[in-house]
Amino acid sequence: MVNHPQAQPSGSYHPAFEAVARTFEKIMAPPDQIGAALCVYLEGEEVVNLHAGWTDEARTKPWQENTVVNIWSATKGVGALCFAMAADRGLFDYEHPVARYWPEFATGGKGNVTIGQLLSHQAGLSALGNGTTLSDLCDLERAAALLAGAEPLWAPGSAPGYHLVTFGPLLDALFQRIEGRSLSIFIEEEIARPFEVDIQIGARTVARSRISPVFVAESFNRAGGDVLSEIQHRTFTEPPLDPLIANTEEWLTAELVSANGVSNASALAKLYDVMLGGKLLSMSALGRAIDCRIDGNDLVLALPFRWGAGFALNSNDTYGPNPRAFGHNGWGGSFAIADPDANLAIAFTTNTMAYRQREDPRAESIVKAAFASLGSR
């Protein structure tokens, strides 16, 4: 048995948030966890910014302050923000049909699917189609064409079903037709650069030395491990996803707002804080984006979910005690959330994939510690 060293956190935190720092230390205890970062903003002020561990399994290369990692579906929250910003600028309405901007999408009985339904995983398009590959997925034009011509796996608008990876090409194709730019370029020009937020879709412009590879812990549950239905099976296999694809050049150079954002905790927490501060969009526009569009058992995740327009909404206090909290978790552990009532933003990024998307004790313990700290500040 290998005796791994304890990862000592670096960074800073407000004394009132010592419980959060102690929680992070416990998360970083060996043997499973390799590297991670945690950041918390309260009322526009950074109150926690910590990182610890390594970016290699041998534990010889320390996680640095500017280390970034694939954040998987935590990227979806950034895509939702882009649509909320475009809606705030009057470019579309969530109740407009997708086909109004993307006529080819109307085939297969999808003519009445609204943008709000698409963003809240109700379009029935959670799989690309039998025989599709990772290369098909990474080719946004091809993936969008396949999805536009597809018949829904279930009646659109009748239930949510998590669009694990298809969310990316669907949103990018629609956004380009509405706004004119790809989501990757929009994020770079409207969010990352002006607000100095270290986030990109893919990693075409990121120094590879800054990117931590992704590793798989023994506690990790691969997607499809408990497949119960044909919809789940098709979602997890069309195309199949292995977590280690995040380390391939094909994945790093793709632009999937569903799953291959590259960022870190300090950038994501800052982004959600800026969002809460009304600097990216009006508070009324944010309110529309986090209005609940469907509340029910998700056909893919087999869990109760509340979805806004691209944001996951608080359910069973997963994001704290306030119902209006929102954000998005990523496959394997990274997450970013915000609570408009507490004016709080929390983000955690990790290179160690573990547990399930909504049952990760790391996320649960961080959120609980953060809210417990609010009263002592």
Side-chain angles (χ1 to χ4, degrees), residues 78-320:
V78 187
L81 168 61
C82 295
F83 271 83
M85 291 171 67
D88 196 28
R89 298 173 184 183
L91 299 183
F92 75 95
D93 188 278
Y94 291 116
E95 306 312 318
H96 288 165
V98 173
R100 174 171 174 168
Y101 306 94
W102 186 5
E104 298 87 348
F105 186 85
T107 61
K110 304 191 300 295
N112 294 325
V113 175
T114 68
I115 295 174
Q117 288 174 331
L118 183 69
L119 287 166
S120 54
H121 302 273
Q122 299 183 66
L125 297 171
S126 60
L128 276 174
N130 187 34
T132 55
T133 65
L134 175 62
S135 295
D136 293 324
L137 171 66
C138 293
D139 183 337
L140 286 179
E141 288 189 13
R142 173 164 172 72
L146 288 170
L147 291 162
E151 293 186 5
L153 299 182
W154 65 91
S158 64
Y162 189 48
H163 289 42
L164 177 69
V165 292
T166 58
F167 198 74
L170 284 167
L171 264 61
D172 206 274
L174 178 58
F175 193 82
Q176 287 196 50
R177 287 160 173 79
I178 291 173
E179 205 276 339
R181 287 173 283 183
S182 69
L183 282 166
S184 177
I185 292 174
F186 183 86
I187 289 166
E188 178 184 353
E189 294 180 349
E190 300 282 348
I191 298 172
R193 196 183 301 160
F195 292 94
E196 297 182 337
V197 175
D198 191 2
I199 185 165
Q200 307 82 29
I201 307 303
R204 292 175 298 106
T205 61
V206 184
R208 295 296 185 264
S209 60
R210 289 211 297 130
I211 304 172
S212 171
V214 164
F215 308 103
V216 177
E218 290 184 6
S219 55
F220 179 66
N221 292 97
R222 281 174 167 77
D226 298 316
V227 171
L228 302 175
S229 70
E230 181 184 357
I231 288 174
Q232 290 176 305
H233 175 74
R234 291 192 60 182
T235 301
F236 297 138
T237 61
E238 298 177 7
L241 279 183
D242 184 282
L244 297 183
I245 63 169
N247 302 331
T248 66
E249 193 65 19
E250 183 176 26
W251 186 260
L252 290 171
T253 54
E255 297 180 18
L256 294 163
V257 77
S258 51
N260 84 329
V262 175
S263 190
N264 55 32
S266 61
L268 287 171
K270 180 179 181 179
L271 174 62
Y272 275 76
D273 175 70
V274 170
M275 202 186 314
L276 291 180
K279 299 173 184 176
L280 283 164
L281 73 170
S282 68
M283 297 312 293
S284 61
L286 178 60
R288 290 192 297 275
I290 63 174
D291 280 344
C292 184
R293 296 194 162 267
I294 193 159
D295 182 351
N297 194 61
D298 190 285
L299 298 177
V300 172
L301 298 174
L303 291 169
F305 256 84
R306 298 173 62 243
W307 290 108
F311 291 111
L313 307 181
N314 199 8
S315 179
N316 297 322
D317 294 341
T318 302
Y319 294 161

Side-chain angles (χ1 to χ4, degrees), residues 70-74 76 162 164-165 214 220-224 236 240-246 251 258-259 328-335 350 352-357 360 362:
N70 190 89
I71 59 172
W72 296 104
S73 286
K76 289 183 173 74
Y162 189 48
L164 177 69
V165 292
V214 164
F220 179 66
N221 292 97
R222 281 174 167 77
F236 297 138
L241 279 183
D242 184 282
L244 297 183
I245 63 169
W251 186 260
S258 51
H328 218 292
N329 296 67
W331 195 28
S334 295
F335 73 89
T350 177
T352 313
M353 298 184 68
Y355 309 104
R356 293 177 180 272
Q357 188 167 354
D360 191 328
R362 295 171 296 181

